[in-house]
Amino acid sequence: MASIFLPFFSAYLMLLLPLVVAQSSAGDIRVGRSIEATRDAKPWISPSSDFALGFHQMENDKDLFLLAIWYYKIPARTIVWYASGTKPAPRRSKAELTADRGLVLSDPRGQLIWRSEFATGDVAFARMNDTGNFVVYGGGSERLWESFENPTDTLLPTQVIQRGDKLSSRHKESNFSKGKFQFQLSEDGNVLLNTNNIVSEFFYFAYYNSGTGDQANKTNSGYQVRLDEDGSFYVLRGNNQRQSFISGDGVHYEDYYHKVTLNFDGVLTLSSYPKNPISSNGNWDVRTTIPDNICITGFNQFGSGTCGYNSICTLKPNKRPQCKCPRGYSLSDPNDEHGDCRADFMQGCEADPQSYHQGLYDLDELQNTDWPTYDQEVISPCSADACKAYCLQDCLCSVAIFNNGKDCVKKTLPLPYGRQDRQVNPIAFVKVRKAEFAHRNPPDISTVCEKRDRNSLTVLISVLLGSSMFVNFILVGVLCMASSFLYHKRVTRNHSNKNGIQSSLCFFNYKELEDATNGFDTELGRGSFGIVYKGVIKSDSRDPFEVAVKKLDRVVQDTDKEFRTEVSVIAQTHHRNLVKLLGYCDEGRYRMLVYEYMSNGTLASFLFGDPKPSWNQRTQIAVGIARGLCYLHEECSPQIIHCDIKPQNILLNDYHEARISDFGLSKLLGVDQSFTNTAIRGTKGYVAPEWFKTVPVTVKVDVYSFGVLLLEIICCRRNVEMDVSDEERVILTDWTCDCFSEGTVDALVENDAEALTEKMKLERFVMVALWCIQEDVSLRPTMKKVLLMLEEMIMVAPPPLPCPSYMLA
Ligand SMILES: *[C@@H]1O[C@H](CO)[C@@H](O)[C@H](O)[C@H]1NC(C)=O
Ligand SMILES: *[C@@H]1O[C@H](CO)[C@@H](O)[C@H](O)[C@H]1NC(C)=O
Ligand SMILES: *[C@@H]1O[C@H](CO)[C@@H](O)[C@H](O)[C@H]1NC(C)=O
C-alpha cells in the first residue's frame, strides 16, 4: 500500500515545498545558514529590525563571544537573551541552523558548545520574530524551540512565565554566568525572588513573595506572570484577576519597548525605552523595581544578600544597590564591588593582647546603619557611651549596633546584610584600628599558618584530619606552592632597584647610623653575630622612630653583591612574628642591619625577670613563636632554618607580642646548613642532639629548640637551673618527663593559679613540648603540626616514653 502512495505523497510534498519556502522567505533563516563569531559578523535581524540574534563580543575578553539577542535599534547594546552564558564561544565559533538539531553553537574545532534542545522534529526554518522571540519551526510550521520558552534574565512583552518557570540573574553586568538570584512563579502560585547557592542550586528564603499563592483554593492562585505590550506587568490569577506589580502612572506606553530584567544585584526592574529615537534620552527608564528597596528587604539567614559580607548597602536614586566597605575595610576582590569587604588591619583576640586592646582602636559612628543579624551579645538598657566601651573592651567585638537608646548589640565578623538607610534607626559603631597601630600588623593573607579566615581553616583542618598522609603531603605542598606564588608576586610587585634589593629597604651609610646610635653608645644586646645598638632615625618626612642596629662582626661574603642578595632575602621575609628588617649598611668593612625596635626587650628578661608574665601572656607568646617558625619553615623559599631558637632571640613589641629575631643570618655567616658542621650553631641547652652526629641538619633542629623553649615558657624558668631545692628539678626537660610519666604536671606550675585553672591546656602544651624534644628526629612534629596542636585544632597524642635523656652540650 505504502509503495503505491509514495510517489503521490512525494509529488504532494514537492507541491508543498514552494509554499513553505514562501512562508519563510521574508528575512527568515533557512537551514544551513550560519554566523561566525567575529567582531563584525552580521546578525540575523527581525523583519521590523527591532531585534537581532548574533554574536556579542565580550567586554572583558575580546576573543570571546556570546550568542545573544538584543535590541537592534537601541544604540547601547541591551541583551535580552543569551546562550551558554557560563561558557562564551571563542572567536570563529559558529552558530548554524541545522535540519536535525535546530540552532547549534560549536567552537572552531567543531565541538558542541550549545544547542536548542527540543524533543523531535525536522527543522524547516527559523525566524527572529519582531517580539524578540527567536523561533525554530518544523516542516508544518510548528514551533520546535523558541527563546521565549527558554528565558535567561529578561522577560519581554507577550512572553509568559508559567508555574515552575524562572529567570536567573547574570553573575555581573558583563559576566553572563549564572548569578545568585532567581525570579520564579512557584508551583503554588507565588511569585518569588530568592537567592540561591550557586554551587548547589539550593534555594534560600525568598526576599520577595507576591502572596498570590493560595493552597486552600487553587482556583485563586497565580498561574502566569505576564508583561503586556502596553507595559502592564502582573500576575494572572486562576479567577482571571490581575494582580499588578505597578500602579498605573498615567503614561501611554504603546510606543515604548518594555522589559523586565532580573539584574545581577537581585533587583527586578520593569523599564521602558521610547521606540521613537527623538523622544529618547538614551536611557532605559526604570518604572518599578521589586523589591522596592533591596537594601532593607528581608534577606535572612543564609548568604550575604545583595552586597558581600561586611559591606554596607545604600539605595541609589535608580533604586539599585550601591555597596561600599566601611572605613578601614576594602574589597576582597577589587573588581567585584558587590563582593565581600575585608579589614585592612588585624583584629581579634589573637591579634591583640587583652590588656592593650582598647587603645588600639577608634570607633566610627555610622548613623542609620545596621547589620541586623548574627547577634553576639545584647546589653540592655545601655547608653551610647557604654555601648562604645563594651565593644572596645571586647576583643571579639568588631561592630556594635546601638538601638535607639534602648540596647546595644555586639557583633563579630563576618557580617551580612549591612545597610544604611533613612528607614533604619540604629547607629553602628565600627571598630577601626588606629593608623599608628595598623601598619604594625599588616594583613598577610598569603601565609597559610596565619590563616585568620575561620572557615577555610576549618576546612583545611578537616581535610588534614580526614585524609591519608599522602594526601596531606600533597595538600601541604599545594598550599606552599600557592603561598610561594603569592609571595613571589608580592615581591615582584615591590620594585627592585638595580642591586636587587627591595626599594622599601633603606640604605644607610656609616655616618648616618653612627649619628642614629649616638656613636654606638646604647648597647641592647650581644649575639653570635655581633652587638646590637639602639638608635633613632630622624627624617624630614616622618616622625623620628626607634631602631635596633646590628653591627655584624664576622660576615664572610666577600662581595657586596652577595651580601645584598642575602639581605634582600631577609627583607622579603615578612611575618608578624618576625622582627622586620628596615635597612642595611655596607660601607667598606662595615656591615650593619637595621631592624625595627622592640620596646619590651627579650623574652629571656621577660620570662625570667620579676614580676613573671601571666599564663595567658605566656601561651600567646608561645603560639606567636610557633607561627613565626612555621612561616620560616613552610613558606619561605628557600626554607629558612633558624638554628638558634632561644629566649634571648625572641623579642617583644609594645604589646608583648613575640617576634623572632636573627633569622636568615646563617648563610650570611657562612654556616652550611645542609650537613653537620664542625662549628655547632646554636646555644648550649637548646641544640638538638643531631648536631653532634653525622646526620643532615634539618628544620627539626628548630623544633627541638622550640620544645625546650616551650617548657621554659610554661614553667617560667631556665632549662638548667642549679640552685633548686630538689636535684631532680635541675634539668627542666628531665623533670618534665618525670612529671608527665607520673601524672603530676601540676608541679611544673606550682604557684601559678592561672595555669592551674587551665589544666587541659597545660597538659596539651607539655605534651607538645615533649614531642618536640624527641631524640628521634622523625618523631618530632613539623612546626605546622605543632601550631595546630597548640591551637587545639588537632588532638595531641601522649608522647612516647621513656623520655629522651637530656644532653648537656
Ligand atoms: C511574532 O510576532 C508577531 C507580531 O510581531 C506576533 O503576533 C506573533 O505572536 C509572534 N510569534 C511568536 C511565535 O512569538
Ligand atoms: C564569570 O564569573 C565566574 C564566577 O566568578 C567566573 O568563573 C568566570 O570565569 C567569569 N567569566 C568570564 C567570562 O569572565
Ligand atoms: C475559591 O474562590 C472562588 C472565588 O473567590 C470562590 O468562588 C470559590 O467558592 C472558592 N472555592 C472554595 C473551595 O473555597
Side-chain angles (χ1 to χ4, degrees):
M1 284 279 278
S3 58
I4 300 170
F5 281 107
L6 204 56
F8 292 101
F9 188 61
S10 308
Y12 174 69
L13 267 186
M14 297 283 276
L15 278 173
L16 209 61
L17 207 56
L19 275 178
V20 172
V21 170
Q23 194 185 350
S24 66
S25 59
D28 285 351
I29 297 110
R30 266 162 307 178
V31 168
R33 276 189 62 187
S34 64
I35 321 178
E36 200 181 38
T38 56
R39 217 185 88 81
D40 35 39
K42 282 196 106 44
W44 292 332
I45 300 162
S46 77
S48 64
S49 300
D50 283 318
F51 287 94
L53 178 140
F55 281 107
H56 166 76
Q57 191 172 31
M58 300 291 281
E59 267 168 43
N60 307 331
D61 185 343
K62 303 283 181 220
D63 282 322
L64 290 178
F65 293 80
L66 188 70
L67 183 63
I69 297 173
W70 61 84
Y71 293 93
Y72 193 59
K73 291 179 179 169
I74 297 181
R77 175 80 45 103
T78 311
I79 289 174
V80 295
W81 179 90
Y82 43 90
S84 180
T86 314
K87 191 166 175 270
R91 187 182 289 279
R92 304 221 165 274
S93 294
K94 200 166 79 166
E96 183 180 10
L97 188 66
T98 64
D100 52 346
R101 294 180 301 162
L103 189 60
V104 174
L105 173 62
S106 44
D107 73 9
R109 289 174 305 155
Q111 299 279 335
L112 180 75
I113 298 176
W114 174 89
R115 55 167 284 204
S116 54
E117 301 275 355
F118 51 86
T120 56
D122 289 334
V123 176
F125 67 99
R127 177 182 291 159
M128 184 66 250
N129 205 25
D130 286 334
T131 52
N133 190 11
F134 183 82
V135 188
V136 176
Y137 290 93
S141 286
E142 74 277 21
R143 290 183 245 162
L144 296 178
W145 185 91
E146 50 193 307
S147 60
F148 272 16
E149 297 280 310
N150 298 274
T152 51
D153 61 355
T154 299
L155 182 72
L156 293 175
T158 74
Q159 187 174 3
V160 176
I161 288 190
Q162 313 276 5
R163 284 186 189 166
D165 289 351
K166 51 187 165 239
L167 303 180
S168 293
S169 68
R170 318 172 180 171
H171 187 67
K172 286 274 126 31
E173 198 61 53
S174 55
N175 178 332
F176 294 80
S177 286
K178 208 175 225 180
K180 63 178 176 183
F181 301 99
Q182 291 203 330
F183 172 80
Q184 62 170 324
L185 180 59
S186 69
E187 294 295 348
D188 57 11
N190 285 311
V191 177
L192 305 176
L193 280 167
N194 312 75
T195 40
N196 71 342
N197 178 320
I198 298 174
V199 182
S200 71
E201 300 253 326
F202 175 78
F203 278 106
Y204 295 156
F205 292 84
Y207 58 94
Y208 171 80
N209 187 332
S210 64
T212 47
D214 189 342
Q215 285 287 19
N217 192 343
K218 285 240 156 84
T219 53
N220 277 344
S221 306
Y223 77 97
Q224 279 184 347
V225 175
R226 286 173 165 270
L227 173 63
D228 286 350
E229 282 176 289
D230 65 358
S232 20
F233 178 40
Y234 53 91
V235 190
L236 201 59
R237 301 186 77 146
N239 50 14
N240 264 336
Q241 275 180 355
R242 291 179 176 195
Q243 179 157 327
S244 182
F245 289 111
I246 36 166
S247 41
D249 46 9
V251 183
H252 280 287
Y253 281 104
E254 268 78 20
D255 298 323
Y256 284 77
Y257 294 113
H258 303 284
K259 71 179 178 77
V260 168
T261 302
L262 178 57
N263 296 283
F264 76 94
D265 51 24
V267 179
L268 189 86
T269 50
L270 166 61
S271 43
S272 315
Y273 194 102
K275 288 188 177 173
N276 182 352
I278 294 165
S279 47
S280 161
N281 63 2
N283 289 320
W284 284 86
D285 286 328
V286 174
R287 293 177 51 217
T288 196
T289 65
I290 303 174
D292 188 48
N293 183 343
I294 195 159
C295 292
I296 61 172
T297 202
F299 287 113
N300 50 14
Q301 287 207 314
F302 294 113
S304 66
T306 183
C307 297
Y309 283 99
N310 308 333
S311 186
I312 301 174
C313 179
T314 49
L315 204 64
K316 294 191 283 191
N318 67 1
K319 295 210 170 184
R320 301 281 295 278
Q322 174 155 39
C323 305
K324 60 175 201 281
C325 297
R327 185 178 73 90
Y329 287 70
S330 47
L331 291 170
S332 288
D333 173 359
N335 298 318
D336 185 3
E337 270 178 45
H338 291 251
D340 302 338
C341 299
R342 198 173 53 198
D344 299 332
F345 47 87
M346 281 302 211
Q347 73 170 356
C349 300
E350 285 172 70
D352 306 326
Q354 198 75 42
S355 46
Y356 300 96
H357 189 80
Q358 287 194 53
L360 302 178
Y361 295 92
D362 285 327
L363 277 183
D364 276 3
E365 194 170 322
L366 306 178
Q367 300 290 333
N368 303 103
T369 305
D370 194 9
W371 277 274
T373 58
Y374 292 8
D375 295 354
Q376 181 197 343
E377 269 182 78
V378 181
I379 300 129
S380 178
C382 188
S383 71
D385 285 341
C387 187
K388 290 183 195 174
Y390 277 127
C391 189
L392 280 176
Q393 281 161 14
D394 182 350
C395 57
L396 273 176
C397 177
S398 303
V399 170
I401 301 295
F402 180 57
N403 281 304
N404 247 350
K406 278 204 313 280
D407 59 20
C408 170
V409 186
K410 290 198 278 188
K411 313 222 170 196
T412 310
L413 302 182
L415 290 170
Y417 323 132
R419 58 193 60 180
Q420 190 165 60
D421 195 279
R422 273 206 312 240
Q423 298 180 48
V424 169
N425 286 323
I427 300 171
F429 298 122
V430 179
K431 242 157 89 174
V432 183
R433 207 172 168 100
K434 289 179 181 161
E436 63 265 40
F437 301 120
H439 77 278
R440 287 174 191 265
N441 289 323
D444 195 354
I445 46 140
S446 66
T447 61
V448 174
C449 308
E450 200 50 38
K451 277 268 162 151
R452 286 272 152 264
D453 183 345
R454 258 172 273 152
N455 294 336
S456 52
L457 187 59
T458 327
V459 172
L460 173 65
I461 303 308
S462 47
V463 169
L464 283 172
L465 286 177
S467 54
S468 69
M469 276 308 285
F470 176 69
V471 174
N472 286 348
F473 182 71
I474 305 249
L475 189 70
V476 169
V478 168
L479 287 172
C480 286
M481 266 163 65
S483 58
S484 80
F485 172 72
L486 284 170
Y487 172 81
H488 285 301
K489 242 169 95 168
R490 197 174 54 209
V491 170
T492 43
R493 238 197 337 255
N494 288 322
H495 297 291
S496 306
N497 66 20
K498 54 180 181 293
N499 295 324
I501 292 184
Q502 278 178 273
S503 53
S504 63
L505 200 58
C506 307
F507 172 81
F508 296 97
N509 60 34
Y510 183 80
K511 182 76 178 58
E512 283 171 318
L513 292 183
E514 190 177 31
D515 290 349
T517 55
N518 202 4
F520 302 100
D521 76 336
T522 313
E523 204 177 298
L524 290 173
R526 274 167 195 265
S528 39
F529 307 111
I531 304 171
V532 186
Y533 301 93
K534 183 169 179 185
V536 177
I537 305 280
K538 300 187 185 77
S539 79
D540 301 334
S541 56
R542 54 177 291 181
D543 294 342
F545 59 100
E546 294 171 313
V547 293
V549 178
K550 188 182 294 260
K551 224 172 164 181
L552 300 175
D553 56 4
R554 52 181 178 99
V555 176
V556 297
Q557 260 79 9
D558 294 334
T559 65
D560 290 352
K561 188 159 173 275
E562 276 174 87
F563 175 76
R564 286 178 191 170
T565 310
E566 288 313 311
V567 168
S568 77
V569 169
I570 300 172
Q572 286 161 13
T573 314
H574 291 300
H575 188 273
R576 39 188 289 262
N577 297 108
L578 299 178
V579 177
K580 193 171 170 195
L581 182 67
L582 303 173
Y584 69 103
C585 160
D586 63 334
E587 195 176 300
R589 63 195 171 85
Y590 296 110
R591 297 268 164 87
M592 288 184 266
L593 298 175
V594 181
Y595 289 99
E596 59 179 338
Y597 174 70
M598 295 286 117
S599 59
N600 276 311
T602 68
L603 177 60
S605 57
F606 190 47
L607 208 51
F608 311 133
D610 208 32
K612 304 266 181 230
S614 74
W615 167 247
N616 184 30
Q617 272 175 322
R618 268 142 58 209
T619 53
Q620 285 192 17
I621 287 170
V623 172
I625 301 167
R627 283 208 187 102
L629 274 176
C630 177
Y631 174 80
L632 291 176
H633 290 180
E634 310 253 345
E635 292 177 50
C636 297
S637 162
Q639 194 178 43
I640 295 176
I641 308 179
H642 189 289
C643 295
D644 200 9
I645 288 294
K646 58 179 177 180
Q648 290 76 12
N649 278 338
I650 310 296
L651 302 180
L652 301 171
N653 71 0
D654 299 0
Y655 318 110
H656 293 93
E657 289 173 325
R659 306 269 172 114
I660 301 170
S661 75
D662 269 6
F663 58 89
L665 295 181
S666 315
K667 196 157 174 220
L668 213 53
L669 301 165
V671 179
D672 179 3
Q673 293 184 336
S674 49
F675 292 96
T676 316
N677 209 281
T678 41
I680 292 168
R681 292 258 292 111
T683 304
K684 207 166 151 181
Y686 301 90
V687 295
E690 59 265 32
W691 282 107
F692 304 97
K693 302 177 191 159
T694 47
V695 291
V697 166
T698 66
V699 287
K700 294 292 181 71
V701 300
D702 286 348
V703 177
Y704 184 94
S705 307
F706 177 78
V708 178
L709 178 60
L710 182 56
L711 287 179
E712 293 185 329
I713 292 173
I714 294 169
C715 306
C716 256
R717 57 156 275 191
R718 290 190 174 80
N719 189 17
V720 185
E721 226 156 65
M722 290 305 177
D723 54 347
V724 285
S725 51
D726 191 342
E727 202 183 313
E728 283 172 5
R729 299 188 173 189
V730 168
I731 293 160
L732 180 58
T733 40
D734 289 354
W735 180 37
T736 310
C737 280
D738 296 343
C739 290
F740 182 73
S741 56
E742 288 157 16
T744 56
V745 288
D746 285 8
L748 295 169
V749 290
E750 260 167 355
N751 299 318
D752 194 332
E754 199 187 348
L756 288 169
T757 58
E758 291 199 293
K759 187 123 190 260
M760 302 278 278
K761 191 166 180 175
L762 172 66
E763 273 178 10
R764 191 168 75 241
F765 274 51
V766 168
M767 288 199 285
V768 173
L770 291 178
W771 274 110
C772 291
I773 57 171
Q774 293 292 320
E775 199 165 340
D776 180 349
V777 178
S778 65
L779 285 179
R780 283 178 223 154
T782 60
M783 279 316 296
K784 183 179 197 73
K785 195 162 174 206
V786 167
L787 183 58
L788 293 175
M789 292 193 289
L790 290 179
E791 290 190 317
E792 217 181 342
M793 295 295 179
I794 54 176
M795 280 265 298
V796 190
L801 292 167
C803 280
S805 62
Y806 175 68
M807 309 203 49
L808 252 186

